[in-house]
């Protein structure tokens, strides 16, 4: 399997996802979009992973690559690719799928519990997770659940921690990829 990462800043890389993929022999490629590297052709990857970053999804006047990235994400979803968005990546997915992003009532920064909601039961991507687990968070914005998507997780400070769309598109507000080095 070929996995492609979109990276928005140097310090938000694939972390433990990279380790997981390499242990399984999956091919990895990356676009450092903040360095204006080109996005790949759709046939160059099977999975797309959209990493986080400190910018907002609507900051297109500051980050000229945001609009083309959103189009690319929409094309990947339409092509039936497996897509995982983390933090900013999940917010980009939400907007592409017709949801909205707004300031969250509380900033979540640190290690906090995430709870699966009953709708997560039976969704394969969440099958191996405990009903509650601690995850790393670093966000001030949150996404609304896009039309047709299912909310799958929450935290005390953020009702929308995860969603699934068509079983192949997953948005996570929390960071499952964090390593000790990336948190530092």
């Amino acid at each position: 399997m070929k996995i492609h990462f979109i990276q928005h800043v140097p310090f938000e890389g694939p972390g433990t996802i990279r380790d997981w993929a390499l242990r399984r022999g999956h091919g990895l490629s990356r676009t450092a979009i903040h360095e204006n590297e080109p996005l790949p052709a759709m046939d160059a990857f099977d999975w797309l992973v959209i990493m986080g970053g400190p910018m907002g999804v609507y900051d297109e006047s500051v980050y000229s690559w945001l609009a083309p990235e959103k189009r690319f994400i929409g094309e990947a979803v339409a092509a039936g690719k497996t897509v995982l968005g983390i933090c900013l990546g999940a917010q980009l997915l939400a907007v592409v799928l017709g949801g909205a992003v707004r300031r969250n009532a509380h900033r979540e920064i640190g290690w906090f519990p995430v709870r699966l909601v009953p709708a997560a039961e039976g969704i394969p991507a969440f099958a191996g997770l405990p009903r509650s687990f601690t995850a790393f968070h670093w966000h001030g914005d949150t996404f609304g659940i896009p039309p047709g998507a299912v909310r799958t997780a929450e935290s005390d400070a953020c009702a929308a921690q995860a969603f699934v769309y068509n079983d192949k598109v997953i948005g996570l507000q929390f960071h499952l990829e964090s390593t000790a080095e990336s948190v530092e």
Side-chain angles (χ1 to χ4, degrees), residues 14-103:
T16 58
I17 298 171
R18 179 185 183 279
D19 300 341
W20 172 88
L22 291 175
R23 280 194 311 272
R24 285 160 178 75
H26 300 311
L28 295 173
S29 59
R30 175 194 80 154
T31 296
I33 203 158
H34 61 286
E35 295 175 0
N36 294 314
E37 291 181 358
L39 292 162
M42 281 295 142
D43 62 357
F45 64 94
D46 304 303
W47 282 23
L48 177 64
V49 179
I50 312 155
M51 302 310 302
M55 60 285 304
V57 298
Y58 302 118
D59 291 343
E60 293 171 355
S61 64
V62 179
Y63 303 99
S64 60
W65 41 261
L66 270 171
E69 181 183 11
K70 289 176 193 174
R71 284 192 298 276
F72 180 80
I73 293 167
E75 291 168 10
V77 171
K81 303 290 183 177
T82 297
V83 182
L84 171 63
I86 299 171
C87 198
L88 171 66
Q91 295 166 10
L92 288 165
L93 266 174
V95 167
V96 165
L97 295 171
V101 172
R102 61 173 172 71
R103 281 270 173 231

Side-chain angles (χ1 to χ4, degrees), residues 162-184:
F163 68 84
V164 175
Y165 177 81
N166 286 349
D167 291 329
K168 293 186 83 172
V169 177
I170 300 169
L172 304 176
Q173 187 62 72
F174 57 91
H175 291 267
L176 61 70
E177 83 289 1
S178 296
T179 64
E181 295 82 25
S182 68
V183 171
E184 188 63 34

